[in-house]
């Protein structure tokens, strides 16, 4: 195992992930009661069934209640939901899509980051740890037209496992890269390290209590946008990396794995194209 970096604490991440989510979404009061009854009813039946099947005790019920209170108080709902459930919602949404495969957004997206023209280098510190890496590719339409005006919004954790705005320095390793007239982009960054979700918060303690690890394989997050097209939310992973087959967030897919190789100047380079579908 090559992963010895410190891990962000729950305090670094939970409350700020909750604040970022609340800034981007309003509570929805308009849900169809029949749909609420169907979905929530099925969730409740599933929980009741599990409690009966495993003959849950009063002590376990109280432990669960205390844990749920802590999830709320620590602001960890976004992390918990995105780790355990977002992949299901994403799989359902992807069923009707014909574009390049995507995966979960996760809790650490921030809008309105630095805009850069391709070829671009993500904002990073002078001594940013990690191997330099170039991600290059083209954004096209379903009928293979290069999409001028496309943009690739990228974010990633630093080598210590911190996302900027959630414990890491403001704006670090985040940027919106504008593709050229041919839809091509070239982004220099650092190769990310595997990411461990906070182990000191309620989500991390639950994982430890069950004997499960808290790691995600190394990944870059992206949202790819093109004029008149639907966004693709994705992540790219690295061939041969740790945790590809045991992502705590269940968000890896074989189509999303890069195989970087040294380019002409020795810098790691990976190619990945995106095909967007009409809006
Ligand atoms: C979480 C963290 C991530 O980096 C990610 O991509 C998905 C989920 C999390 O902590 O919930
Ligand atoms: Fe992530």
């Amino acid at each position: 195992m090559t992963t010895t970096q410190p891990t962000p604490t729950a305090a670094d991440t939970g409350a700020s992930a909750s604040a970022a989510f609340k800034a981007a979404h309003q509570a929805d009061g308009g849900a169809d009661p029949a749909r609420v009854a169907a979905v929530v009813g099925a969730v409740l039946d599933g929980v009741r069934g599990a409690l009966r099947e495993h003959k849950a005790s009063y002590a376990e019920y109280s432990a669960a209640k205390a844990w749920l209170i802590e999830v709320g108080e620590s602001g960890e709902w976004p992390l918990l939901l995105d780790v355990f459930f977002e992949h299901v919602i994403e799989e359902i949404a992807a069923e009707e899509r014909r574009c390049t495969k995507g995966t979960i957004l996760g809790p650490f997206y921030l809008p309105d980051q630095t805009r850069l023209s391709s070829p671009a280098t993500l904002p990073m510190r002078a001594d940013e740890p990690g191997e330099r890496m170039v991600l290059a590719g083209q954004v096209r339409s379903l009928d293979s037209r290069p999409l001028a005006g496309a943009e690739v919004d990228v974010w990633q954790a630093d080598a210590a496992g911190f996302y900027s705005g959630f414990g890491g320095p403001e704006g670090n390793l985040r940027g919106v890269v504008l593709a050229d007239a041919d839809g091509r982009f070239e982004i220099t960054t650092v190769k990310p390290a595997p990411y461990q979700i906070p182990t000191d918060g309620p989500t991390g303690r639950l994982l430890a209590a069950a004997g499960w690890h808290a790691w995600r394989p190394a990944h870059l997050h992206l949202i790819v946008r093109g004029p008149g097209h639907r966004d693709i939310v994705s992540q790219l992973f690295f061939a041969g990396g740790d945790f590809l087959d045991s992502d705590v967030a269940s968000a890896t897919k074989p189509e999303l794995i890069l195989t970087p190789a040294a380019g002409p100047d020795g810098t790691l380079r990976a190619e990945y194209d995106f095909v967007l579908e009409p809006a």
Side-chain angles (χ1 to χ4, degrees), residues 104-108 155-157 163 195 216-217 219-221 235:
I104 68 171
L105 178 70
F108 300 135
W155 67 106
Q156 69 180 84
Y163 283 86
Y195 174 82
R216 301 211 56 218
H219 58 281
L220 298 168
H221 289 267
Q235 298 180 26

Side-chain angles (χ1 to χ4, degrees), residues 136-149:
Q138 188 184 36
V139 186
R140 296 188 296 272
S141 61
L142 276 183
D143 55 357
S144 300
R145 275 181 302 116
L147 283 178

Side-chain angles (χ1 to χ4, degrees), residues 71-92:
V71 172
E73 286 174 351
S74 64
E76 263 200 12
W77 276 113
L79 275 65
L80 178 99
L81 291 168
D82 293 350
V83 162
F84 292 129
F85 301 112
E86 190 189 353
H87 72 100
V88 178
I89 304 300
E90 193 280 328
E91 283 156 22
I92 296 163

Side-chain angles (χ1 to χ4, degrees), residues 3-21:
T3 41
T4 53
Q5 70 260 33
T7 179
T9 64
D12 289 322
T13 52
S16 34
S18 288
F21 181 84

Side-chain angles (χ1 to χ4, degrees), residues 234-247:
S234 193
Q235 298 180 26
L236 295 173
F237 305 91
F238 297 89
D242 290 335
F243 312 114
L244 281 172
D245 295 325
S246 63
D247 179 5

